[in-house]
Amino acid sequence: MKIVYCIDAAYNLSGTDIVSITKANALATIPGNKVWIVSAGNPRSLLKRLKQVSVTDLNVRYYQHDDEGLIASIIDLLKTKRIHKKRLENFLENIQPDVVISSGVLTKTFLPTLKISSNPVFIRELHTDRHYNRDSAKGIIKKCIALIGELYDFHWKIHAYDKVVVLTEKENSGSWKNWKKLAVIPNPITHWTGALSQCEEKVAITAGRLAPMKNFTGLINIWSKVAKRHPDWMLQIWGTGDMQLTLEKQIKQLGLEKHVCLMGYTDKIGEKMSQASLMVLTSRSESFSLVTLEAMSAGIPTIVYNCPGGISQLVKDGETGYLVPLDNEDIFVERVCQLIEDNELRRKMGMVSAKESEQYNIENIISRWMSLFEELLLRKRKNQTD
């Protein structure tokens, strides 16, 4: 089976890119499979992570004229999109794939319109909540723009796909209820090391883009209260992003330099998780929280906001950690302190977390993807002969 993942320009690896790499590597080990990752541009960051997977750079450069005004940027976007579409179509026609998957945003509206003589199955992966752009937009104008984009995408373009894959049953029964082309396959663990935490280190950990939706400002406020009761515990925040300077300033203003540390980027988050004792997450939206899953696989309990999306599918309240009402900092502080103060409870929840995470091992997830591919190909080939 020939399988192609279409991703965005890989200048810096996103969580979505890492998930695609993990799945592509696993699919390529199955006898009879040949797998490609096609990047809009600069796939060099992928190369050291890929094994039996072929990588293609379409050398498409988006957003080159964004600093020249709105009209210039729109014209450039339309021209670049046409170039991208043509180059991708030529590439796919050359290799004659069976399955083509859109896992980014650049190909999502045009991928199933490409004319490929092998008549492949086209699949769209959704890695965010259906209303993520609208929920994260600031101000009425941006929210209106997000709504128009949502209508254009989800009420028109997405219907051309043979299948749309979401990450949680909550999405399936919620915003996508009664949509016949939907399948649910969660993401796999991407940084599993096999090492489990002993939950003894006085370290809480979190990770993600330093962006507003992750609400690290709220987490730092929470930790300022935790630090007063447990000054010997450290909070590590792993990740990079536009809010770096803002968070550094907040940490300094609150006098938390000895209690909160911005750790920067790591490609070994599983190892870092296994050296911590708690995972804390204050995101305001999470379709499927990879960082929570990584923490579970490392055997540490998780304390998270019960935000929109599928995080409640991962965290079992009172068993693997705690689900805290959104933006309730006081309850969050109490839950953190409870686990800091109760060593036995912390270890017990960590053990249950590790056990729960086993269902997300790559072998289990890839078997579900292969079953989906085979089902869709069989149906499509049958329709061709009828």
Side-chain angles (χ1 to χ4, degrees), residues 180-214:
K180 295 180 180 179
K181 287 188 176 181
L182 210 70
V184 180
I185 304 179
N187 282 334
I189 299 167
T190 58
H191 291 96
W192 187 72
T193 63
L196 294 179
S197 170
Q198 299 301 308
C199 295
E200 294 177 352
E201 296 297 323
K202 295 181 178 182
V203 174
I205 191 170
T206 192
R209 283 182 302 108
L210 305 185
M213 189 58 75
K214 297 299 182 180

Side-chain angles (χ1 to χ4, degrees), residues 30-43:
I30 298 174
N33 282 354
K34 186 168 178 56
V35 184
W36 288 261
I37 286 184
V38 182
S39 171
N42 196 38

Side-chain angles (χ1 to χ4, degrees), residues 265-320:
Y265 173 78
T266 180
D267 60 0
K268 298 180 179 179
I269 192 62
E271 179 182 316
K272 306 303 180 184
M273 292 285 186
S274 67
Q275 297 167 358
S277 298
L278 291 174
M279 198 286 289
V280 288
L281 191 69
T282 51
S283 295
R284 293 200 165 95
S285 179
E286 286 283 348
S287 178
F288 187 86
S289 175
L290 275 175
V291 67
T292 300
L293 184 54
E294 308 294 356
M296 292 171 62
S297 69
I300 60 176
T302 55
I303 304 169
V304 302
Y305 274 148
N306 191 6
C307 60
I311 201 163
S312 59
Q313 178 177 311
L314 288 174
V315 179
K316 293 189 174 181
D317 191 42
E319 297 181 35
T320 65

